[in-house]
Amino acid sequence: MKQPKIRFQDVSKFFGDQPLFDGFNLDITEQEIVTLIGPSGSGKSTLLRMLMTLETIDGGEIFIDGEPLWHCERRSKTVKADEKHLRQMRAKLGMVFQHFNLFPHMSVLRNIAEAPIRVLGKSREQAYNDAACLLEQVGLADKADAFPADLSGGQKQRVGIARTLAMQPSVLLLDEITSALDPELVDEVLDVIRQLAATQRYTMLLVTHEMYFAREISDRVCFLDQGRIVEEGRPEQLFSQPQSPRTQSFLASFLRS
Amino acid sequence: MTFYEMLPLLLRGLGVTLLIVLLALPISGLVGFLAGITRLYAGWFLRSVVVVYIEFFRGTSVLIQLYWIYFVLPFLGVSLSAVSAGVLAIGLNIGAYVAEVVRGALLTVPQGQSDAAVALNFSAWQRLRYILLPQALANMLPSLGNLSIELLKATSLVSLITVADLTYQAKALADLTLQVGLIFGTVLLIYFFLAQLLAALFRALEKRVGRGLKRGGLQGG
Amino acid sequence: MDELYWDWGFALEVLPVLLQGAKVTLLATLLGSLLALVVGVVLALLRRSRLHFLRWTARGVIEFIRSTPLLIQIFFIYYITPEIGINLSPLATGVLALGLHYGCYLAEVFRAGIEGVDHGQWEAARALNLSRFHTYFDVVFPQALRAALPATGNYVIAMFKETPQLSAITLLEMMQLAKIIGSENFRYLEPLTLVGVLYLVFSLIAAIAVLLLERKFPPEGFRLR
Ligand SMILES: Nc1ncnc2c1ncn2[C@@H]1O[C@H](COP(=O)(O)OP(=O)(O)OP(=O)(O)O)[C@@H](O)[C@H]1O
Ligand SMILES: [Mg+2]
């Protein structure tokens, strides 16, 4: 079997002495689109943040392309990952946030071009050209010189996506990227992701409460509860014939609201 | 002695005061930024060193630190001129306060900003330099402006270790001529004017830094 | 060079003398704080006066005193009072200077406290037909002073830390005594270090006391009368 793009192996994570994850396992294949659903506090964000190195892990290991994330070889010894190793690994990942987290002191174009210039060492000209292309791609070509505060939520999030794509990651982590938006702005953001899924070859791990979207886009849906995957499967199967009672009641509560 | 005869002495004192301000201001800024950043991000050892520095210098007053550096350090083998002792004591003292301002301002930058910067693979230094500090700067400038005035006021203490600054000259002239109201009135006005100058300088800085940020709006991200 | 070393014998010898000085330091702080409270409240009220002239005068005085060195203010009072026929002891001079200087800081603290009192409270007072005096003393001050308590405490500690400046007018507080001992014995290490340590200790105790006070008075405020 092909090695998984991402592997969570026996991962544990504590907040205080309360375990959130304890021996957590999950494999994601290259170019697979996996959606996490689950009640609030079940650990969806934490899972993405551990992969993005925004949270440390307390046990186990996460592998990206077979390479451990939290450990590295130094002088032929396996040691705790240092900043250099983490930066190498992060280069494969990109994350889009629920609250956009755009840099308020930079124009839209600079928000996108800053990291390619500083981190990838692109020339200014190249970076700004590429940024303009990406803005075009997310339908905001006319907003290049605007500042984040001048944008609507949907526009901010599209800039957020463009900013992430500018770093050319192979894995996209999307954490409830539409849940801070007014309902009428949700689709303009989801359309961008639909477009990406249809035309590009990203591995995607996403958290969403938009069930119709999850159903339409995912190769696999995982229902997470209290740090465990209670049930997983193809979307049509999991949404129409959930096996576990907890999945059933979770989905039922969604239909009601 | 007429006022015009006193003027050269007062001006010479003013020159010394300005010299000390101009030397101590950058020292306090540099030390303060380094200490504030270290206290937030460095490992436990450096962090404890910085905490001890900050708490010691804020727990006692400039005058004690000044005397200690001027009178005690020579016993420990380090002799500084009165001016150097003054610059060092004032720079380190105000620096400790600057450190707390810098730390506080960095803490007000939302966590999401640093998260985004990590996700974009900025190095730790780049996160600080291009993402966190520019946003924190707008928040810290008003407090830094106040501290610059505290620094100016603190320079008057060097007169007590025989540095011939404005305060020293004023007191000498007062002892000599007994025209107390005129002399101290003038000198107070000069300090007041200098303080207003510093305040205006920092307001201008605030405007400059704020221009980019205000457009973006700090909550706008 | 034996003088490089800390001499415990000498330190223990001078400690009691310094503690005598500490009494003067604490007395100056106490009296200075009381004066500063009065000055602060008066200036804060003047800042809110209906008369334009009073408002601006108060504002100017506060700004001027806050942005000029305490040391010169001390000298100024020390030299000018005999000229106008008032003879003040060094302690009284020091208390006056500290009280005025920190009173101006407290004025801004109190003003912020008063302005922080919820608008509804003023309206309620007006609805109850309370006089201006009663509105201030029964409704506004209790809440405003409670809100101002932490900042006030910090300024009192700041004032305490600046008392060594009174050595400049020969007040025999801790610092002055330490300097005298130092110059008499040609050893500054122990007396000046001890003074520093004593100040640290006192500041720490005071900071804890402020925290305890904050805890003692509930956020709603306390009764003044
Ligand atoms: N920094 C933290 N400190 C302490 N507890 C935390 C921290 N971050 C997360 N938690 C706890 O971990 C649990 C999972 O949080 P997480 O944000 O991963 O949930 P989630 O599934 O994303 O929920 P939501 O749908 O509300 O976003 C929660 O109970 C939360 O309180
Ligand atoms: Mg979440």
Side-chain angles (χ1 to χ4, degrees):
Chain A
M1 205 189 114
K2 230 180 101 191
Q3 110 184 337
K5 178 76 181 170
I6 292 163
R7 161 167 282 176
F8 288 86
Q9 182 177 301
D10 255 348
V11 170
S12 58
K13 171 75 187 169
F14 287 74
F15 284 119
D17 39 308
Q18 199 69 13
L20 176 58
F21 292 102
D22 198 0
F24 180 87
N25 291 292
L26 175 67
D27 279 8
I28 297 170
T29 322
E30 177 118 41
Q31 293 182 32
E32 193 181 13
I33 300 183
V34 176
T35 301
L36 296 169
I37 59 172
S40 182
S42 55
K44 306 178 298 291
S45 297
T46 307
L47 202 61
L48 264 57
R49 290 174 61 83
M50 289 189 303
L51 181 53
M52 191 66 255
T53 70
L54 295 172
E55 299 279 356
T56 54
I57 63 175
D58 299 316
E61 181 57 290
I62 301 172
F63 297 89
I64 305 174
D65 292 325
E67 209 180 333
L69 176 61
W70 289 103
H71 292 89
C72 58
E73 296 279 317
R74 291 286 180 257
R75 296 199 205 92
S76 67
K77 266 198 214 125
T78 305
V79 296
K80 242 183 77 184
D82 52 21
E83 184 68 14
K84 183 173 164 229
H85 174 74
L86 288 178
R87 288 192 74 199
Q88 264 168 18
M89 300 299 281
R90 281 184 204 130
K92 306 178 181 205
L93 309 170
M95 183 159 178
V96 183
F97 297 88
Q98 180 176 3
H99 296 288
F100 330 124
N101 301 349
L102 297 185
F103 304 131
H105 56 302
M106 298 179 185
S107 72
V108 163
L109 202 64
R110 243 192 95 196
N111 258 281
I112 302 172
E114 187 77 3
I117 294 170
R118 306 270 179 222
V119 179
L120 303 180
K122 271 194 192 175
S123 75
R124 228 154 249 282
E125 202 189 345
Q126 179 76 45
Y128 280 112
N129 276 337
D130 295 352
C133 284
L134 282 165
L135 267 184
E136 176 108 46
Q137 192 184 326
V138 298
L140 289 172
D142 55 327
K143 294 291 184 192
D145 297 323
F147 275 75
D150 307 331
L151 304 180
S152 74
Q155 293 171 332
K156 279 183 201 167
Q157 194 57 297
R158 283 186 279 155
V159 174
I161 295 169
R163 183 177 69 171
T164 301
L165 296 182
M167 291 301 286
Q168 299 161 328
S170 53
V171 180
L172 285 185
L173 309 176
L174 313 175
D175 189 3
E176 297 195 36
I177 59 171
T178 57
S179 57
L181 301 180
D182 294 334
E184 71 272 17
L185 301 177
V186 166
D187 262 320
E188 65 182 56
V189 172
L190 293 185
D191 278 341
V192 174
I193 304 297
R194 286 190 182 101
Q195 182 77 16
L196 283 178
T199 60
Q200 318 258 325
R201 325 176 121 230
Y202 294 108
T203 306
M204 288 196 210
L205 180 54
L206 49 113
V207 176
T208 186
H209 291 303
E210 313 286 344
M211 293 303 165
Y212 66 95
F213 176 69
R215 184 172 194 144
E216 155 196 346
I217 198 176
S218 322
D219 299 313
R220 180 158 49 124
V221 178
C222 301
F223 174 65
L224 197 68
D225 192 18
Q226 297 180 353
R228 283 172 203 288
I229 293 181
V230 176
E231 185 169 353
E232 59 178 312
R234 296 203 50 84
E236 44 302 348
Q237 169 202 337
L238 189 125
F239 284 121
S240 16
Q241 294 145 2
Q243 302 297 309
S244 140
R246 267 194 284 172
T247 320
Q248 288 164 1
S249 70
F250 174 75
L251 289 173
S253 74
F254 248 89
L255 287 179
R256 272 200 305 277
S257 62
Chain B
M1 209 174 182
T2 68
F3 186 67
Y4 287 103
E5 287 166 314
M6 300 178 202
L7 211 49
L9 273 182
L10 288 180
L11 285 178
R12 209 182 302 158
L14 175 62
V16 173
T17 293
L18 287 177
L19 175 75
I20 294 174
V21 169
L22 289 179
L23 289 174
L25 211 51
I27 290 183
S28 68
L30 191 72
V31 169
F33 269 78
L34 283 180
I37 289 166
T38 307
R39 182 165 186 182
L40 269 186
Y41 304 113
W44 69 269
F45 178 74
L46 274 180
R47 210 165 57 222
S48 342
V49 171
V50 163
V51 168
V52 168
Y53 154 65
I54 292 174
E55 295 310 326
F56 257 95
F57 274 83
R58 292 184 341 142
T60 56
S61 63
V62 191
L63 187 57
I64 294 180
Q65 292 148 23
L66 186 63
Y67 280 165
W68 206 90
I69 288 176
Y70 188 62
F71 290 114
V72 176
L73 276 192
F75 284 82
L76 306 176
V78 185
S79 281
L80 294 176
S81 72
V83 171
S84 316
V87 168
L88 191 64
I90 294 168
L92 289 179
N93 178 275
I94 301 292
Y97 289 89
V98 171
E100 288 298 272
V101 169
V102 169
R103 185 173 75 103
L106 281 169
L107 284 174
T108 63
V109 180
Q111 176 68 36
Q113 291 293 309
S114 142
D115 286 353
V118 170
L120 290 168
N121 216 357
F122 285 105
S123 70
W125 160 248
Q126 289 171 329
R127 295 199 287 270
L128 192 65
R129 169 69 186 78
Y130 300 111
I131 308 301
L132 302 181
L133 275 179
Q135 296 183 58
L137 198 60
N139 277 344
M140 58 177 104
L141 277 175
S143 305
L144 292 185
N146 287 340
L147 285 179
S148 77
I149 294 176
E150 292 302 320
L151 185 143
L152 167 69
K153 287 159 62 180
T155 61
S156 72
L157 297 174
V158 298
S159 65
L160 299 178
I161 54 167
T162 69
V163 176
D165 75 331
L166 190 52
T167 304
Y168 183 93
Q169 300 289 15
K171 185 167 178 298
L173 283 170
D175 282 332
L176 193 69
T177 67
L178 298 176
Q179 287 171 285
V180 180
L182 175 69
I183 293 166
F184 283 121
T186 308
V187 167
L188 280 172
L189 276 174
I190 295 177
Y191 276 105
F192 180 68
F193 174 75
L194 289 179
Q196 297 302 312
L197 213 64
L198 282 171
L201 183 81
F202 273 85
R203 268 199 304 273
L205 268 176
E206 226 175 289
K207 246 194 200 145
R208 251 190 90 159
V209 170
R211 214 176 294 142
L213 279 179
K214 286 282 148 45
R215 273 211 64 192
L218 271 180
Q219 306 307 319
Chain C
M1 290 239 304
D2 57 14
E3 56 196 12
L4 268 174
Y5 297 103
W6 177 265
D7 181 345
W8 277 110
F10 185 51
L12 286 178
E13 198 179 307
V14 302
L15 188 59
V17 185
L18 293 178
L19 286 174
Q20 285 301 315
K23 281 190 200 157
V24 179
T25 296
L26 290 175
L27 184 63
T29 308
L30 181 71
L31 297 175
S33 307
L34 291 177
L35 181 60
L37 284 175
V38 174
V39 170
V41 168
V42 169
L43 282 173
L45 287 179
L46 286 177
R47 278 287 259 127
R48 296 179 52 82
S49 155
R50 288 177 190 151
L51 297 177
H52 204 262
F53 167 75
L54 286 182
R55 268 205 317 273
W56 281 91
T57 310
R59 196 186 152 153
V61 167
I62 292 171
E63 179 71 17
F64 188 82
I65 293 187
R66 275 166 50 120
S67 51
T68 50
L70 173 64
L71 182 61
I72 305 194
Q73 292 162 12
I74 294 171
F75 280 145
F76 189 71
I77 296 173
Y78 186 66
Y79 280 84
I80 203 90
T81 39
E83 299 247 315
I84 54 178
I86 308 169
N87 270 315
L88 292 180
S89 68
L91 179 65
T93 307
V95 167
L96 193 57
L98 289 174
L100 280 176
H101 192 82
Y102 283 93
C104 289
Y105 281 92
L106 288 187
E108 292 297 288
V109 171
F110 294 157
R111 188 173 67 94
I114 292 172
E115 281 170 7
V117 171
D118 186 45
H119 210 72
Q121 300 285 316
W122 294 90
E123 283 165 6
R126 197 170 313 131
L128 290 171
N129 223 353
L130 293 184
S131 69
R132 201 169 159 80
F133 177 83
H134 283 286
T135 305
Y136 266 113
F137 277 84
D138 293 340
V139 180
V140 176
F141 279 167
Q143 302 181 53
L145 289 181
R146 173 58 186 84
L149 186 63
T152 307
N154 286 338
Y155 277 123
V156 169
I157 296 175
M159 175 194 292
F160 165 71
K161 286 190 296 190
E162 295 307 333
T163 46
Q165 293 194 32
L166 300 184
S167 64
I169 51 169
T170 69
L171 181 65
L172 287 175
E173 45 67 68
M174 268 196 281
M175 176 60 90
Q176 180 70 358
L177 289 172
K179 270 183 69 187
I180 293 172
I181 295 168
S183 64
E184 277 173 358
N185 297 278
F186 302 105
R187 263 194 92 89
Y188 284 99
L189 175 61
E190 291 83 3
L192 282 180
T193 306
L194 278 176
V195 169
V197 170
L198 284 173
Y199 267 100
L200 266 179
V201 171
F202 282 128
S203 306
L204 201 66
I205 294 173
I208 293 169
V210 171
L211 279 181
L212 289 181
L213 264 182
E214 261 178 78
R215 231 178 267 164
K216 180 155 185 234
F217 295 111
E220 309 85 64
F222 38 80
R223 252 195 219 181
L224 272 189
R225 299 188 303 141

